[in-house]
Amino acid sequence: MSNIGHSGRAAGGELEEKVDYSKEADEKIEEAKKMANVEEGVTLLAALEKKCRVGNDNPSLVRVCKASLELCKENTELLLTTLDTLVTRRSQKTQAVRACVETTMPWCIEDSFTPIDMMGDKAKEESRDKLVVALRDITDGKIFLEGERARLTRALAIIKEQNGDIGGAADVLQEVHVETYGSLSKKEKVEFILEQMRLTLGKKDFVRAAIVAGKISKKQFKEKSMTEYKIKYYTLLAEYHRSHTLDALELAKCYHEIYSSSTDTENDEDWQPSLQATVLFLTMSPHGNEQQDMFHHISQDANLEKMPPCDALVKLFLKKELIAYPLANQAEIESWPAFTEGDLAKHWKDVFHTRVIQNNIRIASLYYRRIHGKRLAQLLRLPIERLEREIATMVSDGTVYARIDRPKDIIRFSQPKSPEAVLTEWSSNVDKLLHLVETTTHLISKENMVS
């Protein structure tokens, strides 16, 4: 055999034999384009594709594969058959497989993952969907096409969602563990995971939503370029807590993160709803160190002065005074979106009332060591049964110490001291007394010496 057009022979440790079919490829591609029958043109190029593949002429192989697909672009069934044939050839080159995928992807999706709008043409939509599914099957298990698989999977999820199959869309996205992909940028990964969160929440799969939310590192949101994703993430997380856990403190944290990301804008309407929701859910959170720390932090925010109802509510819960329920602006507070959104308005109103009662009981425990139950119920404007129930709840949670003597109708808030504690306190008081006596004696002696 002549060595013309050959780059070497495979022998021992030498390179594989490579044959240059570029001229033949130019001729056959032009000939195939001029054929009236598309199938005959595809058949002609199929024979050339085998030559290029066996001859290791990768540039010509890529050109032949692209030309074959271009010929049958308008014939969906032939396109799918040709595509499947090309990528499943024995010892097919990765360059050829990648070229096939990259050539056909723009025919079904745009802007990386958005399915092309077929303007309501059902036949074209069906062809588009088949091509997306076919390409997704081709990229399955191929590391060098993991980025394309992620984008095709998202496109398929969008198609399913548009068809009303939210559960199917969520299941499709869950098949892709995008956090392990190295070919995608950090933003693409975050955007993909946020889409997984949104669809799992739409499916009401809250356990899966919590798992997906944990895949995003919150450290990434410290970058200014990630502000948009940060707001979207905490909005979805707030939806999770609002729909599932009903954890007011976590909701307050989510809305505070959204607020802190929205304060850079000059438009007050961008950050006011989130600050309002932060304050409201903070008042409905159980009393604790974290809640009090957030209260004091927010009370120092200058933007709070621009929202008098929120400012008054924060100051009310920070004062060591009883809160009269209903509040003076109760109707206005209950009209806030955080109260009215969803079907849990009554639940949040009850929680708000409960937190006001618990705050008043805690304040009473600071000023009274013991008090009659009827008198405390009168001060808090509560039935005695409700008062006892709330005190029992707070004692169980460890918020206050209390003992109720029902026969005598006495509530004790002071915790009895053990004999050891009494003795220790007495010893401490004696030490203080002796120290004062010694100091006084020294001062008197000093005065006598001076005089």
Side-chain angles (χ1 to χ4, degrees):
M1 180 185 287
S2 173
N3 286 332
I4 298 175
H6 293 251
S7 62
R9 293 183 178 277
E14 297 180 6
L15 295 174
E16 291 183 345
E17 182 182 13
K18 295 184 180 180
V19 185
D20 185 6
Y21 289 107
S22 57
K23 291 184 179 180
E24 186 178 353
D26 292 338
E27 296 173 359
K28 293 292 179 67
I29 290 174
E30 288 300 322
E31 183 180 348
K33 288 181 179 178
K34 293 177 181 179
M35 286 184 175
N37 192 325
V38 176
E39 294 184 5
E40 291 180 1
V42 173
T43 304
L44 176 65
L45 293 180
L48 178 59
E49 182 272 336
K50 182 178 180 180
K51 280 186 178 183
C52 296
R53 175 164 42 86
V54 175
N56 296 307
D57 185 5
N58 290 339
S60 298
L61 176 62
V62 169
R63 289 176 56 211
V64 171
C65 290
K66 288 183 176 180
S68 300
L69 295 172
E70 290 284 353
L71 285 176
C72 49
K73 179 179 179 181
E74 302 301 327
N75 188 334
T76 304
E77 296 301 325
L78 182 59
L79 173 63
L80 296 176
T81 304
T82 305
L83 182 62
D84 182 64
T85 302
L86 289 174
V87 299
T88 55
R89 292 284 195 191
R90 181 173 177 271
S91 301
Q92 185 60 281
K93 312 299 180 185
T94 57
Q95 294 95 324
V97 177
R98 180 185 291 278
C100 290
V101 173
E102 290 179 348
T103 300
T104 52
M105 275 183 64
W107 300 346
C108 57
I109 63 175
E110 58 186 358
D111 299 331
S112 295
F113 56 83
T114 307
I116 295 177
D117 187 6
M118 296 303 178
M119 308 301 290
D121 190 326
K122 297 297 182 183
K124 289 184 178 181
E125 287 180 358
E126 186 177 351
S127 300
R128 176 201 63 191
D129 299 350
K130 286 181 179 179
L131 183 56
V132 170
V133 173
L135 289 172
R136 190 168 169 273
D137 292 340
I138 290 170
T139 56
D140 187 19
K142 295 179 176 62
I143 297 178
F144 61 93
L145 290 174
E146 60 184 11
E148 285 75 7
R149 176 169 174 77
R151 297 181 184 102
L152 287 164
T153 300
R154 188 166 178 190
L156 182 59
I158 293 173
I159 291 171
K160 287 182 175 292
E161 185 181 10
Q162 289 175 348
N163 294 333
D165 185 9
I166 295 179
D171 293 338
V172 165
L173 279 189
Q174 293 306 314
E175 296 176 8
V176 178
H177 302 285
V178 73
E179 64 276 7
T180 64
Y181 287 7
S183 59
L184 294 177
S185 66
K186 180 169 61 178
K187 286 187 177 181
E188 285 181 304
K189 290 181 182 180
V190 171
E191 192 173 355
F192 194 95
I193 294 173
L194 289 175
E195 191 67 11
Q196 287 180 330
M197 280 184 66
R198 186 183 67 82
L199 288 174
T200 49
L201 286 173
K203 186 186 174 184
K204 305 298 182 185
D205 187 355
F206 299 111
V207 175
R208 179 71 63 180
I211 295 172
V212 173
K215 293 180 180 180
I216 297 180
S217 174
K218 296 177 183 178
K219 293 180 181 178
Q220 298 176 355
F221 296 137
K222 293 181 179 180
E223 301 176 15
K224 288 186 177 181
S225 60
M226 300 292 285
T227 301
E228 180 184 351
Y229 298 111
K230 178 182 178 181
I231 293 174
K232 187 175 181 180
Y233 170 76
Y234 281 106
T235 301
L236 291 172
L237 199 60
E239 182 182 344
Y240 164 75
H241 288 300
R242 180 188 285 275
S243 304
H244 182 58
T245 64
L246 303 180
D247 190 329
L249 183 58
E250 289 298 329
L251 280 166
K253 291 179 184 177
C254 290
Y255 283 114
H256 189 260
E257 291 290 347
I258 296 172
Y259 162 70
S260 62
S261 303
S262 306
T263 51
D264 295 336
T265 61
E266 297 179 357
N267 189 1
D268 292 349
E269 294 180 358
D270 292 338
W271 56 262
Q272 283 185 347
S274 53
L275 179 58
Q276 188 184 75
T278 301
V279 171
L280 183 58
F281 283 111
L282 201 55
T283 60
M284 293 190 287
S285 304
H287 182 269
N289 293 334
E290 193 172 10
Q291 183 229 28
Q292 289 298 301
D293 182 66
M294 280 191 72
F295 255 135
H296 286 285
H297 178 72
I298 290 176
S299 66
Q300 298 172 4
D301 195 326
N303 286 331
L304 200 62
E305 298 178 357
K306 299 178 182 179
M307 304 177 68
C310 292
D311 189 24
L313 194 58
V314 170
K315 290 179 179 178
L316 201 59
F317 273 82
L318 285 176
K319 287 181 180 179
K320 302 299 181 183
E321 298 178 2
L322 297 180
I323 300 175
Y325 187 89
L327 278 63
N329 58 342
Q330 184 75 22
E332 182 182 359
I333 293 174
E334 291 183 354
S335 66
W336 290 354
F339 260 131
T340 56
E341 286 180 357
D343 54 354
L344 294 170
K346 186 178 185 304
H347 166 78
W348 293 121
K349 290 177 182 178
D350 292 340
V351 170
F352 183 76
H353 187 198
T354 301
R355 298 306 179 210
V356 171
I357 295 172
Q358 292 178 349
N359 175 79
N360 290 343
I361 293 173
R362 190 171 54 258
I363 298 301
S365 69
L366 298 176
Y367 293 100
Y368 290 95
R369 292 193 342 189
R370 46 185 280 172
I371 186 174
H372 283 285
K374 291 182 180 179
R375 174 56 180 162
L376 184 58
Q378 181 183 5
L379 288 173
L380 305 187
R381 300 178 184 178
L382 289 174
I384 189 66
E385 295 81 7
R386 177 71 185 274
L387 175 64
E388 290 182 355
R389 186 166 66 250
E390 294 299 339
I391 291 176
T393 301
M394 295 178 73
V395 170
S396 299
D397 295 339
T399 308
V400 297
Y401 174 88
R403 291 293 183 268
I404 300 176
D405 186 346
R406 275 186 169 175
K408 294 182 180 180
D409 189 28
I410 293 177
I411 301 173
R412 292 184 174 85
F413 291 113
S414 60
Q415 188 170 359
K417 298 177 181 178
S418 64
E420 292 81 3
V422 173
L423 183 60
T424 301
E425 185 179 355
W426 178 82
S427 176
S428 176
N429 291 338
V430 170
D431 288 342
K432 289 179 181 179
L433 178 62
L434 292 176
H435 178 70
L436 288 173
V437 171
E438 184 179 357
T439 302
T440 305
T441 303
H442 173 71
L443 291 174
I444 292 174
S445 299
K446 185 177 180 182
E447 182 70 24
N448 290 334
M449 290 176 65
V450 172
S451 61

